[in-house]
């Protein structure tokens, strides 16, 4: 158990809808990362937050947004969903926001858009 | 541009034999290199990292990796493979100038 909790584990929704994925980092970790894993594109970095502030941005679509709250949990909001958004979404956390620090991953949320 | 490549989609090894999973990278500046493992229906687990210092890095579950600056490689190795090592392995790279990027993954299959 990595200590990172993601909910829900599975989500099935229709195209055009909006969903929210939730992540609780390991106790004491200030940094949260979001990744998308799909069969054809591997693991893509989406965004990083550190202590409530956006630290780095990756290949995140404008339809997607995220935030980190004062209690350090994070939410990833996906809107106007398309079939191609079906993927496994991972949250990871690390103690600090440095890029040389290893991250601990949650078990992921499997999103299926139908 | 920063990139990381895992040239083999799949590696097959017999139990007890040594294994190597290849990774090459391209970054501006000094690289920070990582290996993660993903078991079915699980998130990624950190195995080991190279930041600076000794080129041979030892990690979890008996794995090690060698940083080779001239060949820009960071291959993952284990002297004697176990069936339980069968999983998806990801190499990742970052540098002071950029964010972390993961390779496409290599599926390691160990046959009894």
């Amino acid at each position: 158990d990595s200590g990172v909790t993601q909910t829900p584990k599975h989500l099935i929704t229709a195209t055009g809808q909006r969903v929210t994925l939730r992540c609780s980092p390991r106790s004491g970790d200030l940094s949260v990362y979001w990744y998308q894993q799909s069969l054809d594109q591997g693991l893509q970095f989406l965004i990083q937050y550190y202590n409530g502030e956006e630290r780095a941005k990756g290949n995140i679509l404008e339809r997607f947004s995220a935030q980190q709250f004062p209690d350090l949990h994070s939410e990833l909001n996906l809107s106007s969903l398309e079939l191609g958004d079906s993927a496994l979404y991972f949250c990871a956390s690390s103690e600090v926001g440095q890029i040389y620090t290893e991250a601990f991953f949650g078990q992921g949320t499997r999103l299926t858009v139908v | 541009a920063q990139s990381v490549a895992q040239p083999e989609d799949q590696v097959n090894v017999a139990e007890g034999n040594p294994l190597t999973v290849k990774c090459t990278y391209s970054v501006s500046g000094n690289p920070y290199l990582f290996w993660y493992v993903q078991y079915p229906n699980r998130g990624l687990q950190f195995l080991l990292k190279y930041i600076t210092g000794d080129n041979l890095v030892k990690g979890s579950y008996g794995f090690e990796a060698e940083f080779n600056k001239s060949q820009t490689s960071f291959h993952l190795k284990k002297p004697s493979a176990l069936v339980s090592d069968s999983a998806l392995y990801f190499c990742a790279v970052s540098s002071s100038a950029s964010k972390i990027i993961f390779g496409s993954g290599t599926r390691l299959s160990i046959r009894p």
Side-chain angles (χ1 to χ4, degrees), chain B residues 21-106:
Chain B
V21 183
K22 295 179 181 177
C23 172
T24 58
Y25 66 90
S26 173
V27 294
S28 300
N30 293 323
Y32 305 128
L33 296 153
F34 305 80
W35 275 103
Y36 287 82
V37 60
Q38 184 180 26
Y39 297 101
N41 301 314
R42 302 291 297 273
L44 278 69
Q45 295 178 32
F46 169 75
L47 275 181
L48 50 79
K49 69 178 178 183
Y50 171 83
I51 304 300
T52 186
D54 195 348
N55 289 344
L56 185 63
V57 179
K58 294 188 184 297
S60 306
Y61 312 122
F63 283 94
E64 58 189 28
E66 185 168 13
F67 170 64
N68 188 316
K69 188 172 183 178
S70 63
Q71 297 186 2
T72 61
S73 67
F74 190 57
H75 300 333
L76 182 70
K77 299 181 180 185
K78 188 173 182 180
S80 179
L82 299 173
V83 172
S84 57
D85 293 330
S86 298
L88 189 56
Y89 290 80
F90 289 94
C91 180
V93 65
S94 64
S95 73
S96 58
S98 60
K99 52 190 172 290
I100 191 167
I101 288 182
F102 283 83
S104 55
T106 298

Side-chain angles (χ1 to χ4, degrees), chain A residues 85-101:
Chain A
D85 297 327
S86 296
L88 199 50
Y89 290 84
F90 285 108
C91 166
S93 73
S94 65
E95 187 176 357
V96 294
Q98 300 304 320
I99 53 176
Y100 49 77
T101 306

Side-chain angles (χ1 to χ4, degrees), chain A residues 44-55:
Chain A
Q44 300 286 327
F45 168 70
L46 296 178
I47 197 163
Q48 178 199 357
Y49 279 83
Y50 176 72
N51 204 20
E53 294 189 3
E54 183 182 303
R55 170 66 67 92

